[in-house]
Amino acid sequence: MDKTQEVLLIKYGEIALRGGNRRIYENMLMDAIRKNLENAGFEGFHFYKEQGRFVVAGGDMEKPLSGAIAHIVCVFGITSVCRGVRLAERSVESLFDAALGYAKENIGNSATFKVTTNRADKNFPGKSNEISAELGGHILTSFPELKVKLEKPDFELIVEIRNSIYIYSKATEVEGPGGLPPGSAGKGVLLLSGGIDSPVAGYLAAKRGIDLTAIYFHSPPYTSERAKEKVLDIAKQLSHHTGKIKVIVVNFTEIQLYLNDKTPPAKITLMLKRAMLKMAGITAQSEKGLAIITGDAVGQVASQTLHSLHAMTGATDLPILRPLATYDKKDIVGLAQKIGTFDISIRPFDDCCTLFLPKNPETKPKLSIIQNIERKMDDLEHLMSTALEQAEIYQF
Ligand code: ATP
Ligand code: MG
């Protein structure tokens, strides 16, 4: 039997804190990782839980294990993935033997080093810092030129003593997105437009464990088929990070024309957004959603001043999450680029709110006035339910 086996060590963050839910969260995270690996064509790997870590071992895999990292490290809930070895035997002698071997193979031309030991199993003989010191001594004997450096050494050898012993180099650590396991928070309905902001809002919501159903309002023939395709492309790109996304495409034209007819121009954008929120709320009921998510950022445009956001009150009973509320545009753009939606979002197709955009949109609307206008819209409910019944559904 080989003395060591190549493994990936997966670290996860906050879920370790979640008392009674911990097991459930861990299992959700493992399911998401397993699904990603299987979707990427990995077979025959051995995947298990280890005191505060997950481990992927090569098993009978045909593909190289290192190729799996990219498919693991994108999963929400994961803080990092390290590549190293698991020892077949769990003894002090085999630890020193394997660690020295690993150091020889991986130290390269490093000038400085340190050893860090993490002894999760307190029954293993020796204290963590004693093991590190002794092992460091062995390494220094083999590499007399090498210097110990505790802050940012060129080479950091990490030993983790758990049910098995693991050894890896800090340099192999690839950072994950953090957050909570996919779907662990329940479902939310994302108002997804073709803009830059809402996909980023969806990403951030999904990162906190929210399972997304997206809803897009289009207004043919005023908005083109290509504007719709753009939104579907955005949803597809988003799904690479968030897992499955259902997209509901609602024909908004009649509602938009109706609202336009009944509303003073300065308030039209607000009325449109209230109608969208109402319909998202109705959709959430049938989808078992618990919240609505939008890409609003305070003060970004007239319809997103604090007064305008206040004027959305009562459009839905559900909590409205606005993950970007306090973000500057440049930070939103940075995130959009990171998640790969930016280039799709900047394709030049109008969304439905820019269509009848007033010259002087109100920036300090009054909720009571908005509600009064809305009260007189006798046909609105009927138009909304018809549009929802006829919605198209896409799955990514
Ligand atoms: P975005 O870049 O996300 O389109 P924006 O800065 O263009 O946002 P608005 O057009 O005021 O701002 O939209 C604010 C939010 O309202 C969007 O982030 C989105 O959540 C929602 N929204 C706007 N238009 C639509 C639409 N046609 N379909 C679905 N949601 C929409
Ligand atoms: Mg927009």
Side-chain angles (χ1 to χ4, degrees):
M1 194 166 90
D2 285 343
K3 287 182 178 171
T4 61
Q5 182 187 19
E6 194 188 1
V7 293
L8 302 179
L9 220 60
I10 302 170
K11 303 184 186 180
Y12 46 93
E14 283 178 84
I15 62 174
L17 305 174
R18 306 214 155 204
N21 284 335
R22 178 177 170 155
R23 272 260 287 283
I24 299 170
Y25 277 61
E26 284 176 335
N27 289 341
M28 282 178 147
L29 193 49
M30 286 186 86
D31 283 348
I33 295 168
R34 191 178 290 114
K35 214 179 286 167
N36 264 16
L37 288 178
E38 286 169 0
N39 287 345
F42 286 90
E43 285 171 359
F45 55 89
H46 182 42
F47 185 33
Y48 61 94
K49 193 155 45 177
E50 251 284 17
Q51 306 171 330
R53 301 271 185 268
F54 303 133
V55 181
V56 181
D60 299 323
M61 269 170 65
E62 281 178 13
K63 296 185 176 197
L65 192 60
S66 57
I69 296 173
H71 302 281
I72 298 171
V73 83
C74 55
V75 176
F76 294 133
I78 290 175
T79 51
S80 68
V81 179
C82 304
R83 188 154 53 95
V85 294
R86 176 179 62 185
L87 276 52
E89 209 180 287
R90 198 173 169 286
S91 65
V92 176
E93 301 76 55
S94 63
L95 165 58
F96 286 151
D97 184 35
L100 195 59
Y102 183 89
K104 283 179 181 165
E105 269 177 39
N106 292 279
I107 209 155
N109 43 21
S110 304
T112 59
F113 88 112
K114 81 165 172 179
V115 178
T116 301
T117 304
N118 182 341
R119 196 174 54 114
D121 177 2
K122 302 297 178 206
N123 292 321
F124 194 83
K127 292 205 170 100
S128 297
N129 50 8
E130 292 167 359
I131 296 171
S132 296
E134 196 172 340
L135 190 50
H138 286 301
I139 294 174
L140 278 177
T141 312
S142 296
F143 297 90
E145 311 282 280
L146 211 57
K147 296 259 175 314
V148 174
K149 186 168 176 248
L150 299 181
E151 290 281 314
K152 295 196 180 150
D154 299 333
F155 178 68
E156 181 175 355
L157 181 78
I158 301 179
V159 175
E160 298 202 359
I161 302 168
R162 299 175 183 276
N163 290 325
S164 297
I165 298 175
Y166 302 88
I167 299 168
Y168 59 93
S169 151
K170 177 81 178 165
T172 66
E173 187 157 33
V174 183
E175 226 180 282
L180 295 171
S184 59
K187 186 171 278 185
V189 175
L190 168 69
L191 283 165
L192 182 63
S193 71
I196 295 167
D197 304 329
S198 47
V200 177
Y203 171 86
L204 291 175
K207 186 176 160 187
R208 297 306 298 170
I210 298 178
D211 184 14
L212 299 178
T213 290
I215 185 163
Y216 166 60
F217 299 92
H218 74 147
S219 302
Y222 304 103
T223 56
S224 65
E225 193 62 18
R226 292 175 71 187
K228 179 176 114 183
E229 276 162 21
K230 171 176 150 180
V231 173
L232 296 177
D233 286 349
I234 288 174
K236 187 171 174 194
Q237 174 60 26
L238 195 55
S239 74
H240 295 151
H241 300 276
T242 62
K244 265 197 254 151
I245 298 184
K246 176 175 175 178
V247 184
I248 301 174
V249 177
V250 179
N251 187 324
F252 200 51
T253 312
E254 277 200 53
I255 297 167
Q256 188 155 9
L257 293 172
Y258 178 78
L259 291 173
N260 214 42
D261 190 40
K262 303 272 179 196
T263 311
K267 297 188 199 312
I268 181 64
T269 317
L270 300 172
M271 299 311 283
L272 292 170
K273 285 191 71 182
R274 279 184 71 91
M276 289 184 196
L277 289 170
K278 280 173 196 278
M279 293 168 87
I282 298 167
T283 303
Q285 266 179 354
S286 53
E287 293 284 313
K288 300 197 170 63
L290 299 170
I292 310 291
I293 301 135
T294 78
D296 295 310
V298 174
Q300 200 188 79
V301 289
S303 61
Q304 296 173 24
T305 63
L306 208 50
H307 288 82
S308 295
L309 296 180
H310 178 254
M312 296 300 112
T313 305
T316 169
D317 292 339
L318 295 181
I320 301 175
L321 305 184
R322 297 179 170 100
L324 304 178
T326 62
Y327 278 48
D328 290 348
K329 192 76 185 187
K330 99 174 165 7
D331 299 329
I332 301 173
V333 165
L335 267 175
Q337 283 166 332
K338 193 179 119 192
I339 65 173
T341 53
F342 182 76
D343 288 342
I344 314 173
S345 291
I346 59 174
R347 286 186 208 157
F349 305 113
D350 269 350
D351 75 41
C352 68
C353 281
T354 56
L355 195 59
F356 303 104
L357 209 61
K359 281 204 192 71
N360 296 304
E362 204 166 2
T363 54
K364 290 191 173 178
K366 263 188 111 166
L367 177 61
S368 56
I369 297 176
I370 299 278
Q371 283 168 328
N372 274 337
I373 301 171
E374 212 172 61
R375 235 172 257 133
K376 291 174 199 142
M377 295 183 173
D378 298 331
D379 295 337
L380 184 58
E381 236 165 80
H382 171 70
L383 287 172
M384 289 195 304
S385 55
T386 309
L388 284 174
E389 275 162 27
Q390 295 170 350
E392 301 164 43
I393 310 285
Y394 296 82
Q395 195 82 55
F396 295 101

